[in-house]
Amino acid sequence: MSDHHPYPLVYVQGVNFAYGTTLVLSEISLEISKGDFLAIIGPNGSGKTTLIKIILGILRPDSGQIKLFGQDLGSFSKWEKLGYVPQSASQIDSLFPVSAREVVAMGLLSGKKFPRLITRADEKAIDEALELVDMGKFKTRRIGELSGGQQQRIFIARAIVNKPDILFLDEPTTGVDAATQTRFYDLLGSLNQVQKITIVLITHDIGVVSKYVNKVACLNQKLIFHGNHEEFCRSSVVEDFLRGEQHLLCHRH
Amino acid sequence: MSILSYGFMQRALLAGILIASVCATLGVFLILRREAMIGHGLAHLTFAGVALGLLVHLWPMGTALLVAALSALGIVKLREKAGIYEDTAIGILSSIGMAAGVILVSLAGSFNVSLMSYLFGNILAIAPSELWSSLALASTVFVVIILFYQELLFTTFDSESAKVSGIRVKRLEAMLAALTAAAVVLGMKVVGLLLVAALLVIPSAAGLQMAGNFFQAIVLAIIIAVVSVLLGLFTSFYWNLPASGSIILFASLCFLGSLALRRLRAGLIRLCSGPDNSYKINEE
Ligand SMILES: Nc1ncnc2c1ncn2[C@@H]1O[C@H](COP(=O)(O)OP(=O)(O)OP(=O)(O)O)[C@@H](O)[C@H]1O
Ligand SMILES: [Mg+2]
C-alpha cells in the first residue's frame, strides 16, 4: 500500500541557498516518502529552518529542484495536503487580537476556493482539532493570553485541522514543559501511525523523539546523514558530528 | 426642524458614516501590519494628485485616486525590492509628493478655496454627484475587504504560513495598498488630507484596545468611527465648528475612553478572580 507510492511526497535535488553571500545550504538532496516520520537535526544556524522554508516555497533556492507530491513546486497547488507549524510560532505578537478559534480557522483556508469563508461545518472541524490538542476550553481565549506551550498547541491544531497528508513542524516544543512534550510526541506518533500522516520534524530533543521516528536527516549546511533510524545509529559519520549524543537518539525506550 | 431634514446633512451623514467605516476596517489590518503610517504618507502623495488635477483641469478626485494608487504600489515595491523599511519608504515618497504638490499648486495658481477643501475636508458641502461616486467607491472597497477577510487576516497574522496555504500574499498586499489608496481619497472628502491619516488609525486603534478577537476589533472600530462621525457632524452643525476637526477629536476621545476601559476591565478581572486564576497556565 503506502510503501509502494509512485513518487516521494517530497523530492529535493541539488538545492543550494545563500542569504546574500553567506552560503547556508549546499547541494542538499533528499526524498521523503509517504508514511515517514523524519527527524531533521543539526546545531543552531545549520540551515534546518531554511531547508523547510525552501521545501514549502517560502524561500526560493538559488539552484536545485523541489517537487511536492510529484509536482514541481512552481506549479504545485494542492496546498491543503500540507500542514506547517513555523518556528516563529513561538514569537507571535501577543497583542494581536485573535482568538484561538480564529487561528485554527486559518488552517482551513488552504482547502477553500474564493471566497474563502468559514462555514458551520468548519466550526466542527475547528472544535475537533482543538480537542485533539486538549485546548477545547480555550477556544475563545485571545492567543496572547495563552502560555507559550498552549500557543504552540493552537498552532499545531491549525496545522492539522485540514487533515493534511504531510505535516512540517519546526521545533514545535520550544517552551513546552516536559510532560506536555511527551504527550505531544505521543500525539505526533499516533498521527503518524494511525492517521498515516507523514511527519517532518525539526528538533533538538533528539533523545525524546527516537521512539517515534523512522528516518533521520542530519544537517549542517551539507546533508551529513540521511537515512533510516537503524543506519543512523551505526553510522560513524554521525558519531563525530553528535559528539557522543548519538546514543540518545538510538536508544529506543 | 430636525437637522436630518437638510439634504446636505443627509449626504454628509451617509458619506461620512460609510467612508469612516471603510477607513476603520482597513485601519485594523494596517495597524497590525505595522503600516499605520501609510495613510499619512499617502495623504501627502495624494496632495500632488489633487494639485495635478487642478493644474490640468481634470476631476481632482480622479487624479488623486490615480496618484494615490500608484504611490501605494510604489511603497509596497520599494519595501519589497529595495529592502527599505516601510516607514523610510513612506518618509521619502511622501516628501516627494508634498514637494511636487507645492510646485504643481503654484503652477496652477490655485492657492484658493477649493484647495482648502481638499486639505481640510468639506463633508457638509459634498455635492449629490460626488456623493454617489464616493458611495460607490466606498462600497466596493468594503465588499472587497469582506470577500478577502479571511485571507487578509491570515496574511496579516502570519504571512509565511498564509503562503503555504496557497494564498497569493504579494497580490493580496498590493490589493490592500490599492484599497488604502482609495480609502485615503475617500477620507479626504470627509476630513481632508491633513486629517485623513487619523481616520485610518484612531478608531481602529481604539477598537484594538478593547477586542478579544479579530472580528470584534473590526466591529468596535466601525462603531467608534460611526459614533465619531455622528457626534462630529452634530457638533459642527450646532456650534458651527469644522466637521473634520470635530470628528477626529471625538474619535480621539473614544480612543482615550478605550484605554481607560481596558484598564478598568483588567482591574475588575483581577479583583474578581484573584491574582492566580486570571491567567491559568496549566489546565491539569
Ligand atoms: N533572514 C536571514 N538573513 C540572513 N541570514 C539568515 C537569515 N535567516 C537565517 N540566516 C542565517 O542562515 C543560517 C541558517 O539559519 P536557519 O534559521 O535555517 O538555521 P536553523 O538550523 O533553523 O537554526 P536554529 O536551530 O537556531 O533554528 C544561519 O547562519 C543564519 O544566521
Ligand atoms: Mg530554525
Side-chain angles (χ1 to χ4, degrees):
Chain A
M1 32 159 270
S2 55
D3 300 339
H4 305 294
H5 223 258
Y7 48 76
L9 298 196
V10 177
Y11 172 87
V12 177
Q13 178 59 50
V15 161
N16 289 287
F17 182 84
Y19 282 109
T21 52
T22 328
L23 188 65
V24 174
L25 294 174
S26 136
E27 287 302 319
I28 307 292
S29 299
L30 63 88
E31 292 181 4
I32 303 169
S33 307
K34 190 165 166 49
D36 276 356
F37 192 140
L38 169 71
I40 301 179
I41 60 175
N44 291 134
S46 56
K48 305 181 295 297
T49 299
T50 306
L51 177 60
I52 287 238
K53 286 187 177 179
I54 287 173
I55 291 174
L56 294 173
I58 296 168
L59 293 172
R60 197 188 273 269
D62 298 328
S63 60
Q65 193 189 18
I66 314 281
K67 284 185 182 178
L68 294 176
F69 294 84
Q71 220 174 1
D72 224 57
L73 189 56
S75 56
F76 182 74
S77 60
K78 299 178 197 137
W79 300 102
E80 71 279 1
K81 290 178 178 290
L82 311 180
Y84 174 44
V85 180
Q87 181 169 22
S88 50
S90 52
Q91 300 156 13
I92 59 150
D93 174 4
S94 67
L95 292 178
F96 203 112
V98 67
S99 65
R101 182 200 149 273
E102 285 175 317
V103 173
V104 178
M106 294 172 190
L108 289 164
L109 299 188
S110 58
K112 293 178 181 293
K113 292 195 166 58
F114 175 84
R116 310 188 199 222
L117 304 173
I118 303 297
T119 63
R120 185 74 58 82
D122 293 331
E123 295 294 341
K124 204 166 146 266
I126 293 170
D127 286 339
E128 281 171 10
L130 282 168
E131 283 307 326
L132 211 55
V133 294
D134 249 340
M135 290 294 289
K137 274 183 283 186
F138 298 94
K139 188 177 176 185
T140 57
R141 185 72 74 88
R142 224 182 65 187
I143 192 92
E145 293 173 353
L146 294 171
S147 74
Q150 290 174 328
Q151 287 176 1
Q152 208 51 279
R153 285 196 243 173
I154 298 296
F155 283 100
I156 291 155
R158 180 178 79 178
I160 60 178
V161 67
N162 226 6
K163 307 211 167 19
D165 289 10
I166 182 167
L167 193 53
F168 295 85
L169 305 115
D170 195 345
E171 297 187 35
T173 54
T174 313
V176 175
D177 64 71
T180 309
Q181 250 183 52
T182 312
R183 264 195 299 153
F184 171 63
Y185 287 127
D186 283 342
L187 169 65
L188 285 189
S190 88
L191 287 175
N192 179 241
Q193 300 279 312
V194 183
Q195 319 230 25
K196 304 294 174 205
I197 296 178
T198 306
I199 292 179
V200 181
L201 173 70
I202 295 181
T203 183
H204 289 290
D205 316 324
I206 53 174
V208 191
V209 298
S210 66
K211 72 173 172 185
Y212 309 98
V213 302
N214 70 337
K215 298 273 172 66
V216 179
C218 203
L219 195 66
N220 197 0
Q221 185 178 324
K222 289 185 170 63
L223 199 57
I224 289 171
F225 175 87
H226 175 229
N228 64 40
H229 188 261
E230 286 73 24
E231 291 169 31
F232 173 78
C233 298
R234 279 183 266 115
S235 162
S236 58
V237 196
V238 184
E239 212 163 316
D240 304 334
F241 180 69
L242 289 178
R243 283 186 218 94
E245 285 195 273
Q246 193 172 10
H247 69 280
L248 286 174
L249 191 50
C250 299
H251 176 76
R252 297 235 179 198
H253 303 271
Chain B
M1 191 157 136
S2 156
I3 76 166
L4 293 177
S5 57
Y6 291 103
F8 72 87
M9 202 56 177
Q10 291 168 359
R11 289 196 292 276
L13 279 171
L14 200 59
I17 286 174
L18 189 61
I19 291 171
S21 304
V22 165
C23 288
T25 309
L26 274 175
V28 173
F29 290 103
L30 296 176
I31 289 176
L32 290 170
R33 295 171 56 82
R34 310 283 158 86
E35 292 175 1
M37 287 310 286
I38 197 170
H40 190 78
L42 283 179
H44 287 74
L45 287 149
T46 305
F47 176 63
V50 168
L52 183 69
L54 292 172
L55 177 65
V56 299
H57 297 292
L58 280 172
W59 186 41
M61 231 180 115
T63 52
L65 195 59
L66 187 72
V67 170
L70 290 177
S71 311
L73 296 177
I75 290 171
V76 170
K77 281 275 170 268
L78 205 58
R79 177 189 52 191
E80 223 172 78
K81 293 267 154 36
I84 296 177
Y85 289 121
E86 172 126 343
D87 50 355
T88 311
I90 289 172
I92 293 169
L93 284 179
S94 67
S95 312
I96 295 174
M98 204 65 200
V102 167
I103 288 175
L104 288 170
V105 162
S106 145
L107 285 178
S110 56
F111 278 106
N112 57 23
V113 181
S114 95
L115 182 66
M116 294 305 267
S117 85
Y118 288 107
L119 286 177
F120 295 102
N122 202 358
I123 186 69
L124 288 168
I126 191 168
S129 60
E130 275 180 315
L131 176 72
W132 294 119
S133 53
S134 299
L135 290 186
L137 183 58
S139 311
T140 308
V141 174
F142 217 53
V143 169
V144 173
I145 297 172
I146 292 170
L147 288 176
F148 287 94
Y149 173 83
Q150 293 288 348
E151 285 172 65
L152 282 168
L153 168 56
F154 197 174
T155 306
T156 301
F157 183 62
D158 178 355
S159 69
E160 289 189 344
S161 298
K163 194 171 181 200
V164 177
S165 290
I167 292 171
R168 308 276 175 99
V169 171
K170 280 193 178 151
R171 222 195 267 177
L172 207 65
E173 284 173 345
M175 188 192 80
L176 186 66
L179 294 178
T180 308
V184 165
V185 173
L186 287 166
M188 168 179 84
K189 279 276 132 202
V190 183
V191 296
L193 284 174
L194 288 175
L195 282 173
V196 66
L199 221 46
L200 278 163
V201 173
I202 298 176
S204 321
L208 283 169
Q209 285 296 318
M210 299 185 287
N213 62 48
F214 192 78
F215 186 69
Q216 261 179 28
I218 300 258
V219 172
L220 287 168
I222 290 177
I223 291 174
I224 289 162
V226 170
V227 167
S228 307
V229 168
L230 288 175
L231 292 175
L233 285 179
F234 291 161
T235 308
S236 161
F237 181 83
Y238 286 115
W239 282 287
N240 197 22
L241 293 169
S244 55
S246 311
I247 292 172
I248 301 304
L249 283 184
F250 275 115
S252 309
L253 280 179
C254 290
F255 176 70
L256 290 177
S258 73
L259 282 180
L261 215 67
R262 183 184 160 132
R263 283 271 172 102
L264 197 72
R265 198 178 55 175
L268 278 179
I269 290 175
R270 228 173 296 137
L271 215 69
C272 295
S273 54
D276 295 326
N277 307 335
S278 55
Y279 291 92
K280 259 190 165 178
I281 303 297
N282 238 317
E283 79 277 20
E284 280 109 349

